[in-house]
Amino acid sequence: MTGIIVFAIYVGAFFGSYLILSRLVSSFFKRTGFNKLKTVTFGDESAVVANRLASILSVVTLFWLWVAFTNSTIPLPKMPGPFLGETSFTYTATLEDGTTDEGTVTVLVYREDIQLTRDADGNPHQAPGDPEVEPGDGFAKNDSTTVARYGFKVIDVWKNDEVSKKDGSRITALNGKPIEPGGKIKTSAGEIGLTDKGTPTFAPATGLRMQRLYLPAPEIVVERFFFLNTEGYQGFSLLAHTGYSVMRVLVGFFLGALVGIPIGYAMGLTNWSRGWFDPIVEFMRPIPPLALIPLIIIWFGIDETGKIVLLFLAALWIMIIAARSGVSGVAISKVHAAYSLGANKWQILSRVIVPNSLPEIFTGARVAMGVCWGTVVAAELVAANVGLGKMIVTASKFQQTDIIIVGIIVIGVIGFGIEVGMRKVENWLIPWKGRI
């Protein structure tokens, strides 16, 4: 349910910001440079450029959603949070002879992470004790207990009653509403109910915010980021983990491109190469790199070679197909024009085929780089003791979600940086893309 709400808010922010800013700040949406000369822009990829204001708003929206659905201290609007404080409910105990009596249960709901914080002297805070209540008259006495937010509590109301459950006392109503074992009743503070054996339970209302185990607040992730840089994790600093992962991805991608591009060119230029390599490429391409891990371990062992080979295979097939598509997409009229001007085969390859196939190759390179980053987690499962993937997997075993998110963000930032760099190189090497 929370995921649907997040998606709906994000979609609403997308359309809402466009409608508002396209009217109020229309100058940001005007095309400039070469693209402003185009008369047909819809459906023309070269006429579509990223609106930087929209990019900023998208990132700000995502950050706000992160804050809004966590128990963050950042002063931004938030979704309804979990119940905190004191609440109470009544229970009706009925004896075997039909006699009834009511007792009140007072519940104090506290923050579940209170024991993770420390006071000014460095001592850990203790969870609060049960509230003090008067037992009251009758055989059903008043009770009190505590429960952490997002928690759940089974309450033994008979522990101080004059007639115990063994003596025939049973709960027949909560807050004056008749209830059977296994039933539940919603309240503003949470959900009360009975177990299948008839014991009262209480679960505080959680609201729409996620607890720290599932999604820590941004400030907690930032704090963990600096901690990993200074104290490290599993014997290595965050920089060391990042360095090993980047090295493996770059080497695997480079080897995949070094082997894949020539094979792709050969498949696009000669019938024999197309027939020779096509069955292999089309057979291996759908196989996910994860399925190859057992063979990689058997063939190459558990050292760096196995991880590099896995990333090499993740990039290889993508680069072969990209190069093949690039060659196949060259307009034959350009080849005929070059032949008519006296060009030989080497000149056709270097002056016509390679320049016109580079856009497809760069597109494939960006896809292959993304796949390599996605595969590095699996590659570092092959008995690695350092790397972002290893750090994420180890943290997941101990439910350290903040470390997992730090690793994901670092991978995303590096991947984004590489993508931007490849775009710059592409614009430098292929300035004619989209213009001819």
Side-chain angles (χ1 to χ4, degrees), residues 9 34 45 141 210 223 289-290 293 328 348 364 369 377 395:
I9 293 175
F34 177 83
E45 181 185 2
K141 305 298 183 183
M210 302 177 70
E223 181 182 346
L290 296 178
I293 289 180
S328 302
I348 293 292
M369 184 63 71
V377 175

Side-chain angles (χ1 to χ4, degrees), residues 248 251-253 255-256 289 292 295-297 299-301 303-317 372 375 379:
R248 292 163 182 159
V251 172
F253 168 77
L255 294 177
L292 302 175
L295 285 178
I296 295 296
I297 296 176
W299 290 346
F300 300 98
D303 57 5
E304 289 297 319
T305 304
K307 305 173 188 61
I308 298 299
V309 169
L310 188 63
L311 292 169
F312 160 75
L313 293 174
L316 176 63
W317 316 115
C372 283
T375 308

Side-chain angles (χ1 to χ4, degrees), residues 4-20 61 64-65:
I4 297 176
I5 296 175
V6 172
F7 179 74
I9 293 175
Y10 185 78
V11 172
F14 171 80
F15 288 105
S17 61
Y18 175 78
L19 293 175
I20 294 174
T61 300
W64 170 71
L65 288 173

Side-chain angles (χ1 to χ4, degrees), residues 30-38 46 49 435:
K30 290 182 179 179
R31 301 190 309 278
T32 59
F34 177 83
N35 294 321
K36 71 181 180 180
L37 303 177
K38 292 181 175 289
S46 64
V49 295
R435 292 175 169 83

Side-chain angles (χ1 to χ4, degrees), residues 154-174:
V154 178
I155 307 169
D156 182 11
V157 295
W158 294 281
K159 62 183 178 180
N160 61 346
D161 284 1
E162 294 180 358
V163 182
S164 68
K165 187 177 183 180
K166 294 180 179 179
D167 296 329
S169 176
R170 60 190 180 90
I171 307 301
T172 56
L174 294 175

Side-chain angles (χ1 to χ4, degrees), residues 383-431:
N385 59 356
V386 60
L388 289 173
K390 176 63 176 179
M391 184 183 76
I392 290 173
V393 171
T394 303
S396 68
K397 295 178 180 178
F398 297 98
Q399 297 183 333
Q400 295 173 311
T401 316
D402 47 359
I403 295 179
I404 296 174
I405 293 179
V406 168
I408 291 173
I409 291 176
V410 171
I411 290 175
V413 169
I414 294 175
F416 179 77
I418 293 175
E419 167 73 11
V420 171
M422 293 180 69
R423 288 182 185 178
K424 297 295 183 183
V425 173
E426 182 180 10
N427 292 335
W428 176 59
L429 290 177
I430 320 172

